[in-house]
Amino acid sequence: MRGRMSKHDEGGADEPAPDFVDGETLVNFGVGKVIDSTHPEFKAGDLVWGMSGWEEYTLVSQSESLFKINHTELPLSYYTGVLGLTGLTAYAAFMDVGRPKRGDFVFVSSASGAVGHVAGQLAKIAGCYVVGSDGSDENFDLLKTKFGFDDAFNYKSETDLAAALKRCLPDGIDIYIDNVGGATLDAARLNMRRGGRVVVCGMISQYNLEEPYGLRNMYCIIPKAFRVEGFNVTGYFHMYSRFEEEMAGYIKEGKVVVVQDVVEGIGGSNRDVFREKCWEKVGGACKGVS
Amino acid sequence: MRGRMSKHDEGGADEPAPDFVDGETLVNFGVGKVIDSTHPEFKAGDLVWGMSGWEEYTLVSQSESLFKINHTELPLSYYTGVLGLTGLTAYAAFMDVGRPKRGDFVFVSSASGAVGHVAGQLAKIAGCYVVGSDGSDENFDLLKTKFGFDDAFNYKSETDLAAALKRCLPDGIDIYIDNVGGATLDAARLNMRRGGRVVVCGMISQYNLEEPYGLRNMYCIIPKAFRVEGFNVTGYFHMYSRFEEEMAGYIKEGKVVVVQDVVEGIGGSNRDVFREKCWEKVGGACKGVS
């Protein structure tokens, strides 16, 4: 959702989805109930999540990014987060690109965020030592008390991010799940271990800048032979079924703790109203999966 | 060799080898003849290449980076380049990290350099479309006329590197063999294709700067989901035997053209004298492989 609310250059080939246009129906990920369908995999009454108009009734003509909800015993709102796009992002980014091994040292930025808090908990399940960074004291507390991170720091309280990482992960980082980019990415690079993996899922620190942060600590990628890989969840939809089963299991076993901030109502499709109200909101019914 | 001639910070853990010390014997890769050996794989009379002192007679006590020369019918100097460390770098970086497919679009910077001219020719053998950049008109001509690159540009004549890449590779880059870093790396990122691979083998543009270039085009790594991986040849010595056979074959078949700039004499071990004279020179005999 976030990516579509920024103005992008004409060279939009970099963008997986076009910018929103004021006044048009918002089209993005949502949860709904099928009212009618000609698609063999979906029938009336099925609950689904995926790409749809954010409206009471919507017509879905492309079914590639629509998924049946199999765990209706869990809150439907989970399918907008931990069992939906951000959960799949955390899972595929960490498991497929991060390639964790038991005992790996993992760092997650924006660690209480939609992707971060799931990635961190998956890292604990995988037997890793996990450190998170966040920008508020409230969220920072959650990391250790609720999500089971081994250590955490509030990046706003640190004068030297590279030193903070060195303090929390003195032996270096095997996997960095990057949700912020910028200075944190630069600091993490200095602390990577040989053969480490940086999975770039987001760059929240960079989206609203006139001039992006200039990354200076690139050289160390050569002697340390680590890998930096951009992650785009659209390449991982084939993995959804396996992910849903595994993640639903973790949630039921209490191995993954879910915290959601649900906002009621959107208030129209105006970009600024939406931006103010929420990043994540789901609703409506899904009509006609063709 | 290059990396050891710069002054590095104390945090030298990033560096695979320590800085040279003025007045001490240079120890680096070279070619020699075994005079005596207690090692089962090397016997008197064998020609070898690998880590040794750059002196008439040297004692090699660590044999992990010493390799027997099997193709003595080829010029021995090839084992300081195309059949030695830089050739292995080009081969492993391109084949193992780059993972080429027939028809891939490949860009090589510093393309007439020790790594670049081999990487480009390997890319042609792999059935790729190959574009190189270089900084002199003389070298630039060599790329197309001698090394068989499909296209090339002199980066010093270009005002916009990203536009030059777009002109030469309008469909984008699948594999970028980066030997220079800095502005070229930034421009290449803008032109990467989804799922592309950037193999960072060197950063010659950055080594002597007080303040490194700040890379700004990082965001596109997310929507394009490409990979940037640092390459350090020390992790690929196990591949040498296969490489030597394959590369010697290419050279004999004329599929890889070799150009070497041989400088006679070193003029002592003084860092500045050496820096002025050459980047690559090998000599001496290798005594005592224990």
Side-chain angles (χ1 to χ4, degrees):
Chain A
M1 205 72 206
R2 177 64 185 76
R4 302 188 61 188
M5 286 187 288
S6 301
K7 287 279 180 201
H8 294 113
D9 296 336
E10 282 178 53
D14 280 4
E15 300 304 322
D19 296 350
F20 285 129
V21 177
D22 281 0
E24 288 189 1
T25 304
L26 291 170
V27 176
N28 218 294
F29 288 87
V31 168
K33 183 184 276 182
V34 178
I35 292 176
D36 192 14
S37 164
T38 58
H39 192 289
E41 284 178 27
F42 303 99
K43 62 179 194 302
D46 280 351
L47 289 165
V48 292
W49 77 273
M51 190 66 85
S52 72
W54 287 18
E55 49 197 346
E56 273 194 278
Y57 298 91
T58 198
L59 180 72
V60 176
S61 54
Q62 294 180 310
S63 60
E64 304 84 54
S65 55
L66 204 66
F67 307 92
K68 195 171 164 187
I69 289 175
N70 294 306
H71 289 271
T72 52
E73 71 280 16
L74 292 171
L76 274 184
S77 62
Y78 284 13
Y79 282 86
T80 72
V82 66
L83 285 168
L85 200 72
T86 53
L88 179 61
T89 296
Y91 179 84
F94 181 68
M95 301 301 281
D96 190 77
V97 187
R99 294 185 202 162
K101 297 185 301 294
R102 183 163 291 275
D104 271 356
F105 295 104
V106 176
F107 170 51
V108 183
S109 59
S110 191
S112 71
V115 171
H117 82 289
V118 180
Q121 293 182 89
L122 287 172
K124 285 309 302 174
I125 290 169
C128 302
Y129 184 88
V130 189
V131 174
S133 69
D134 215 281
S136 86
D137 283 334
E138 186 186 354
N139 291 344
F140 166 75
D141 284 343
L142 279 179
L143 296 180
K144 288 171 82 168
T145 57
K146 194 142 190 131
F147 300 133
F149 281 59
D150 294 291
D151 206 349
F153 63 90
N154 182 340
Y155 73 88
K156 289 184 179 166
S157 316
E158 302 287 342
T159 51
D160 182 337
L161 289 174
L165 283 168
K166 186 78 185 164
R167 184 182 73 230
C168 294
L169 292 155
D171 292 323
I173 303 166
D174 292 296
I175 304 175
Y176 169 35
I177 304 294
D178 180 25
N179 298 303
V180 303
T184 307
L185 176 54
D186 231 4
R189 279 183 169 162
L190 281 178
N191 284 278
M192 292 305 294
R193 301 181 87 184
R194 191 177 167 96
R197 289 80 71 197
V198 177
V199 194
V200 186
C201 299
M203 290 204 174
I204 193 72
S205 75
Q206 300 299 294
Y207 295 147
N208 295 326
L209 301 181
E210 285 292 312
E211 182 72 14
Y213 176 93
L215 293 157
R216 297 183 182 280
N217 299 331
M218 189 69 189
Y219 174 69
C220 53
I221 199 173
I222 300 176
K224 289 180 174 179
F226 62 83
R227 175 161 55 91
V228 182
E229 191 157 338
F231 182 83
N232 191 313
V233 71
T234 54
Y236 287 87
F237 288 161
H238 65 279
M239 199 187 260
Y240 182 72
S241 176
R242 175 183 134 198
F243 157 75
E244 187 199 18
E245 279 314 298
E246 199 171 321
M247 185 59 78
Y250 292 146
I251 294 169
K252 290 179 200 170
E253 293 165 40
K255 287 184 179 172
V256 167
V257 176
V258 182
V259 171
Q260 284 197 310
D261 191 9
V262 176
V263 180
E264 297 291 337
I266 295 183
S269 61
N270 178 282
R271 184 202 310 254
D272 295 327
V273 172
F274 179 77
R275 188 196 290 268
E276 207 172 276
K277 281 211 164 181
C278 56
W279 297 124
E280 240 177 36
K281 177 68 190 83
V282 173
C286 170
K287 186 186 177 193
V289 183
S290 64
Chain B
M1 203 73 206
R2 177 65 186 76
R4 302 188 62 187
M5 286 187 288
S6 300
K7 286 280 182 202
H8 295 113
D9 296 335
E10 281 179 56
D14 280 2
E15 300 304 322
D19 297 347
F20 285 128
V21 177
D22 281 358
E24 287 189 2
T25 304
L26 291 170
V27 176
N28 217 294
F29 288 88
V31 168
K33 184 183 277 183
V34 178
I35 291 176
D36 193 14
S37 164
T38 58
H39 192 290
E41 284 178 28
F42 303 98
K43 63 177 193 304
D46 281 349
L47 288 166
V48 293
W49 77 273
M51 191 66 85
S52 72
W54 287 18
E55 49 197 348
E56 273 194 277
Y57 297 90
T58 197
L59 180 73
V60 177
S61 54
Q62 293 180 313
S63 59
E64 304 85 56
S65 54
L66 204 65
F67 307 93
K68 195 169 165 190
I69 291 175
N70 293 306
H71 289 271
T72 51
E73 71 280 17
L74 292 171
L76 273 184
S77 63
Y78 285 13
Y79 283 87
T80 70
V82 66
L83 284 169
L85 199 72
T86 53
L88 179 62
T89 297
Y91 180 84
F94 181 68
M95 301 302 280
D96 190 78
V97 187
R99 294 187 202 160
K101 297 185 301 295
R102 184 163 290 277
D104 271 356
F105 296 103
V106 176
F107 170 51
V108 181
S109 60
S110 192
S112 71
V115 171
H117 83 288
V118 180
Q121 293 183 89
L122 287 172
K124 286 308 301 174
I125 291 169
C128 303
Y129 184 89
V130 189
V131 174
S133 70
D134 215 282
S136 86
D137 284 333
E138 186 187 354
N139 291 345
F140 165 75
D141 285 343
L142 277 180
L143 296 181
K144 287 169 83 169
T145 58
K146 194 143 191 130
F147 300 134
F149 282 58
D150 295 291
D151 207 350
F153 63 90
N154 181 340
Y155 73 89
K156 289 184 179 166
S157 315
E158 302 287 342
T159 50
D160 182 337
L161 289 174
L165 284 168
K166 186 80 183 164
R167 184 182 74 229
C168 295
L169 293 155
D171 292 322
I173 302 166
D174 292 297
I175 304 174
Y176 170 34
I177 304 295
D178 181 24
N179 298 302
V180 302
T184 306
L185 176 55
D186 231 3
R189 279 182 169 163
L190 281 178
N191 285 279
M192 292 305 293
R193 300 182 89 186
R194 191 176 168 98
R197 288 80 72 198
V198 178
V199 193
V200 186
C201 299
M203 289 203 175
I204 191 72
S205 74
Q206 301 298 293
Y207 296 145
N208 295 325
L209 300 181
E210 285 291 313
E211 181 73 14
Y213 176 93
L215 292 157
R216 298 185 182 278
N217 299 331
M218 190 67 189
Y219 174 68
C220 53
I221 199 173
I222 300 176
K224 290 181 172 178
F226 63 83
R227 174 160 57 90
V228 183
E229 191 156 339
F231 182 83
N232 191 313
V233 72
T234 52
Y236 288 87
F237 288 161
H238 64 280
M239 199 187 262
Y240 182 73
S241 173
R242 177 182 132 198
F243 157 75
E244 188 199 18
E245 278 314 296
E246 201 171 319
M247 185 59 79
Y250 292 146
I251 294 169
K252 289 180 202 170
E253 292 165 40
K255 289 183 178 173
V256 167
V257 176
V258 183
V259 171
Q260 285 198 311
D261 191 9
V262 176
V263 180
E264 297 290 337
I266 295 183
S269 62
N270 179 280
R271 186 201 309 254
D272 296 325
V273 171
F274 179 75
R275 189 196 290 268
E276 210 173 275
K277 281 211 168 182
C278 57
W279 296 123
E280 241 178 33
K281 179 67 189 82
V282 173
C286 170
K287 186 187 177 191
V289 184
S290 62

